[in-house]
Amino acid sequence: MKKLLIFIILVSGTYQAALAQHASDQEKTEVSQSVNMTEEEKVNHLINYLRHLSGSVFIRNGNEYSPDKAADHLLSKWNKHKKKVKTAHGFVDRLATFSKTDEPYQIRLKDGSTIKCGDFLNQELKRIELQSSFLE
């Protein structure tokens, strides 16, 4: 019985070490992927970042939309115009900042504060580009 218990402890420790190594490898993979992001990947990241902004509200032309609807809207604009808008910065500045009526898109965050969508997405874009520059 003692040998079985020692075996279980050893196997458990090895298993935990393997899990920790896998998590470390996963983080390294995610980091290296962020370093090499294409402009399209950056745009997709921004759209998904908005999509997963739980508890927030997207405001377009005075109407409120869920983050999911907002992301779908911006994705459709991106798909329609990506041949003309080639960069993530162009996406934010030309497609994700204003509606056709020149009214700024806004986001009401979970804490109740409101920010212009363009400013919000530019902050995230700067963050991922800064992270990439540190990792190169």
Side-chain angles (χ1 to χ4, degrees):
M1 185 68 160
K2 217 185 245 187
K3 289 181 182 178
L4 179 59
L5 184 58
I6 291 170
F7 176 76
I8 291 171
I9 291 170
L10 288 174
V11 169
S12 174
T14 303
Y15 178 72
Q16 288 175 348
L19 282 177
Q21 181 62 43
H22 176 71
S24 175
D25 291 346
Q26 178 102 11
E27 287 174 10
K28 288 176 188 172
T29 299
E30 289 171 2
V31 165
S32 68
Q33 287 172 343
S34 71
V35 170
N36 301 317
M37 288 176 84
T38 65
E39 293 300 309
E40 179 142 7
E41 289 169 335
K42 290 177 189 177
V43 170
N44 287 329
H45 170 84
L46 294 173
I47 291 169
N48 284 322
Y49 183 68
L50 180 60
R51 184 178 305 281
H52 294 99
L53 207 61
S54 66
S56 66
V57 175
F58 182 80
I59 303 167
R60 178 170 47 103
N61 297 327
N63 297 313
E64 296 183 354
Y65 300 90
S66 69
D68 210 32
K69 292 281 186 195
D72 288 345
H73 174 70
L74 293 180
L75 179 59
S76 74
K77 286 182 79 171
W78 169 244
N79 286 332
K80 183 177 179 181
H81 298 286
K82 68 177 151 183
K83 288 184 180 175
K84 291 182 263 178
V85 179
K86 305 259 184 217
T87 66
H89 287 279
F91 165 77
V92 173
D93 295 339
R94 294 181 59 195
L95 302 176
T97 299
F98 296 97
S99 68
K100 289 180 192 176
T101 63
D102 287 334
E103 192 173 331
Y105 295 146
Q106 296 189 34
I107 301 170
R108 188 171 50 247
L109 300 171
K110 192 176 194 175
D111 67 3
S113 64
T114 302
I115 187 169
K116 290 180 182 175
C117 184
D119 293 344
F120 183 79
L121 292 178
N122 270 321
Q123 287 174 5
E124 177 61 10
L125 183 55
K126 283 179 189 172
R127 187 192 71 76
I128 64 173
E129 289 178 337
L130 186 62
Q131 175 184 346
S132 294
S133 69
F134 280 124
L135 299 173
E136 289 180 337

